[in-house]
Amino acid sequence: MKKRWLQGVIIAAVVCASLAGCKKTAQEAPSAQTEGAGFMESGTAAKKEEEAAKASVPSSGEESMPSAQEESAGIQEEYLFPESNTRLLTGEELGQLSPEQLRFARNEIYARHGRMFTSPELQAYFDSKSWYEGTVKPEDFSENLLNGFEKENIELIKAREDMGDILDEAGRYRVIMEENENGIFGTGGLLKYGRIDAAMSDGYTGFLPLLKDRGSCYQAPDQSIAVPVYYQWDFIKNVSPGDELTITFGWDDESVYTVTEVLQEHGKEARVISVFSSRDQWEIPMVFTDAFGNGKYVLAYVDEISDDSYVIWNSDDISCACRILYRGDFYLSKDCIIDVGGEEFSVKDQWEYNMDKNSFGGAIYGDIMEIDANGLITRIRQQIAG
């Protein structure tokens, strides 16, 4: 009995010790559990970020959705001219399109505003564009919906459709005029932007080409654009009788002029010479001088000469040796205006073969020409009329 009692005591002691140990562990648990909670919270966040990153990467066989920027770029590519409502189109841009593409480009401006089309071909073309929403019947569409850029671009495109070959040629001289804006010459003299000399009546066709009606525009045949030839003083001071100068004055091909005599010396201000024209077979007085006040020497015609002085021919319209940049036709808009001493005339209204019906004269002499983006002349300042 005693032995059993002793065993019971031992067992009870062991149980109590175990219970005490469990209690101590339970008392220490809060600090350990708090740290563990922090670790688990951080680990869970990292795990969630990893899962989100995996979710953003398409698995094989899945396609990613395009971004808004990519979608916008794709829509822009569906337009022939996505900016035709915010800027003027250029002749170079239009010149790269086929007649069919030009038609689509012109109607694209209307389609942007939801206009529908009676042409099945046009309607099918725009129905294939993701940006197009046809909501306005053709008879209900108002031109007031178009802004200034759109209206002018429609005119430019239509002109290109109607006059493709003509505008290709007009574009060539337009570029020349723009690149040489303040130093261009044509037949007859000093110019700023261009030059036109064309007959508007039979009375002037003896020495000027007759303006032609091409339906959508007027054509002035056989025009030319040139720039002045500038000479260095080191060359000028050594020019001597017998020397040959191969030059043109803008209205003909280059000819050989032979120096026959040095007529006057004016220091570095000017040097007057006489030359023999192999084409015209007579001698002409000319002068190397800064005729335009730009610090550069040109070779200009002399109108009058005395023992110690000279007068340049037509000081308001100086003719000097030049280099041809363009020889060909000019094209005038049907709405072209001629400014004669501040008084304006419409070419369309005034052009008559019969000089008696032409109120301001029978020819166009213009030295300031305004041109549109296609190269059509829209305005001419005329120095001399009739």
Side-chain angles (χ1 to χ4, degrees), residues 78-100:
E78 292 185 358
Y79 286 94
L80 286 167
F81 293 114
E83 299 176 347
S84 60
N85 61 333
T86 58
R87 67 174 178 85
L88 291 182
L89 303 176
T90 67
E92 288 79 1
E93 289 176 311
L94 298 178
Q96 295 175 8
L97 300 190
S98 66
E100 181 182 39

Side-chain angles (χ1 to χ4, degrees), residues 141-378:
F141 186 84
S142 171
E143 296 286 328
N144 293 332
L145 294 174
L146 305 175
N147 64 33
F149 288 114
E150 291 173 317
K151 290 178 180 179
E152 190 160 350
N153 280 329
I154 287 172
E155 293 181 2
L156 292 175
I157 297 172
K158 189 65 171 66
R160 172 65 58 169
E161 289 179 270
D162 295 341
M163 302 178 287
D165 293 340
I166 288 174
L167 297 186
D168 285 339
E169 184 168 356
R172 285 194 288 272
Y173 67 70
R174 176 184 63 80
V175 171
I176 292 172
M177 288 182 180
E178 291 177 350
E179 290 179 348
N180 301 272
E181 183 174 340
N182 292 313
I184 290 184
F185 287 70
T187 304
L190 171 61
L191 313 175
K192 290 185 178 179
Y193 304 102
R195 176 79 181 195
I196 182 171
D197 295 270
M200 296 181 73
S201 72
D202 290 336
Y204 283 79
T205 55
F207 56 94
L208 292 178
L210 182 66
L211 199 67
K212 298 179 181 179
D213 190 342
R214 293 292 299 269
S216 54
C217 66
Y218 297 119
Q219 178 184 11
D222 304 327
Q223 304 297 310
S224 63
I225 299 175
V227 292
V229 174
Y230 293 114
Y231 297 88
Q232 298 294 324
W233 183 255
D234 287 344
F235 170 82
I236 296 171
K237 69 180 183 181
N238 292 318
V239 170
S240 305
D243 291 347
E244 293 184 343
L245 303 173
T246 303
I247 51 180
T248 179
F249 289 87
W251 59 82
D252 53 28
D253 294 327
E254 288 185 337
S255 299
V256 176
Y257 293 78
T258 304
V259 179
T260 58
E261 185 180 357
V262 176
L263 300 176
Q264 293 179 2
E265 301 276 9
H266 297 275
K268 294 186 72 172
E269 178 184 344
R271 195 163 192 245
V272 184
I273 62 175
S274 176
V275 298
F276 177 79
S277 168
S278 59
R279 184 196 63 191
D280 299 322
Q281 296 295 305
W282 64 61
E283 288 196 17
I284 307 167
M286 308 194 76
V287 59
F288 289 105
T289 185
D290 179 10
F292 307 134
N294 59 5
K296 300 178 180 180
Y297 294 99
V298 297
L299 181 58
Y301 270 120
V302 170
D303 185 31
E304 297 179 13
I305 187 168
S306 61
D307 292 338
D308 58 357
S309 64
Y310 66 92
V311 176
I312 294 178
W313 180 80
N314 196 354
S315 59
D316 292 330
D317 189 23
I318 300 169
S319 290
C320 72
C322 54
R323 177 169 56 89
I324 299 292
L325 296 181
Y326 170 85
R327 190 184 298 282
D329 300 342
F330 282 168
Y331 296 91
L332 287 65
S333 164
K334 278 297 182 79
D335 297 325
C336 182
I337 296 296
I338 307 174
D339 181 346
V340 185
E343 188 175 0
E344 296 184 349
F345 298 89
S346 165
V347 174
K348 182 186 295 184
D349 294 338
Q350 297 296 323
W351 178 43
E352 295 284 350
Y353 289 107
N354 186 338
M355 185 177 172
D356 294 336
K357 296 181 180 180
N358 191 305
S359 62
F360 69 89
I364 301 173
Y365 296 90
D367 68 341
I368 302 291
M369 302 194 324
E370 296 179 11
I371 53 178
D372 65 20
N374 282 320
L376 294 182
I377 299 170
T378 58

Side-chain angles (χ1 to χ4, degrees), residues 105-134:
R106 175 167 52 84
N107 284 284
E108 178 177 86
I109 296 174
Y110 295 105
R112 183 184 278 114
H113 294 277
R115 187 188 189 278
M116 301 170 72
F117 301 91
T118 56
S119 165
E121 180 186 11
L122 286 176
Q123 192 62 53
Y125 174 81
F126 291 112
D127 281 339
S128 69
K129 307 302 178 183
S130 63
W131 54 264
Y132 175 67
E133 295 182 8

